[in-house]
Amino acid sequence: MTEPWELDAQRPDEYHNVECKRGREFIIRLTTGADVFLALQKFAIDHDIQFAKIHAAFMGGLQPAKYLVWAPDHTNPDNWHREAVATTQNLSMVLALGGMIHPRPGPDGEPEPFPAIHFAAGGAWDCPTFGGHLEQGSIVKGVLECFITEIVGIENVAPVDRVYEDDEYPENWYRSI
């Protein structure tokens, strides 16, 4: 059964919302050699964080940067949501970082914190601006700092309680608790 929040908008002003509250707030510091995805995931596990926003990065470089970008699906032109991994080996400066931590099914099928990180980087003499969904394997060069704000008062509606055979990372939605 398709839920209302999964459907295309029926009107230009349609939206869905869930009220939530701020919990604990942290500043995270990662140094050369840290994997941004793995470090933020471990932080969430260590601090028992189910939901959080990742925001306001300052400082930081990546070498390499691994990320997902939307790519054409030559076998199905209607598939606008196909993503492929890209890698930028040149040293790049993090220009913006944001996203959220939320539960996704882990390898054992149980929910685990998943950092969904969007970023833009570039700013080096031999590195144009680029961005996408930051992936595991993006390694800090120098120092990267960001804020983590825990979000409380919500829980997942999906995908933890549903099976999606054709989408490894389906969209989530939430309910107030």
Side-chain angles (χ1 to χ4, degrees):
M1 180 177 124
T2 303
E3 299 291 334
W5 53 267
E6 295 177 289
L7 300 172
D8 290 345
Q10 301 300 304
R11 309 178 311 275
D13 63 349
E14 181 179 332
Y15 64 90
H16 307 275
N17 73 297
V18 175
E19 189 170 349
C20 55
K21 296 182 171 122
R22 288 182 179 173
R24 299 170 291 171
E25 300 204 49
F26 303 89
I27 298 174
I28 304 296
R29 180 181 175 93
L30 307 176
T31 56
T32 298
D35 183 305
V36 178
F37 180 94
L38 292 177
L40 292 182
Q41 186 175 47
K42 182 171 185 340
F43 169 80
I45 291 167
D46 290 350
H47 291 84
D48 195 27
I49 293 175
Q50 295 298 307
F51 296 93
K53 64 179 176 176
I54 303 165
H55 54 109
F58 47 100
M59 298 188 251
L62 300 172
Q63 190 176 25
K66 288 190 168 204
Y67 51 101
L68 293 176
V69 295
W70 280 346
D73 183 344
H74 301 291
T75 62
N76 179 5
D78 291 331
N79 181 12
W80 60 269
H81 195 258
R82 180 179 176 273
E83 291 183 301
V85 175
T87 302
T88 299
Q89 292 292 343
N90 294 5
L91 176 62
S92 60
M93 179 191 331
V94 175
L95 305 172
L97 185 80
M100 66 184 293
I101 296 169
H102 57 99
R104 287 252 172 106
D108 61 359
E110 293 298 312
E112 67 180 11
F114 181 89
I117 307 165
H118 294 167
F119 81 111
W125 71 272
D126 60 350
C127 187
T129 303
F130 62 96
H133 292 99
L134 196 74
E135 285 288 292
Q136 183 176 330
S138 296
I139 307 302
V140 173
K141 187 80 167 185
V143 174
L144 186 144
E145 296 180 4
C146 66
F147 288 97
I148 305 289
T149 301
E150 183 180 35
I151 303 297
V152 296
I154 60 172
E155 67 181 4
N156 261 3
V157 174
V160 175
D161 58 359
R162 289 185 38 200
V163 176
Y164 293 81
E165 295 178 15
D166 62 340
D167 191 350
E168 183 180 4
Y169 301 122
E171 295 296 324
N172 289 1
W173 190 240
Y174 317 99
R175 65 178 151 241
S176 297
I177 54 174

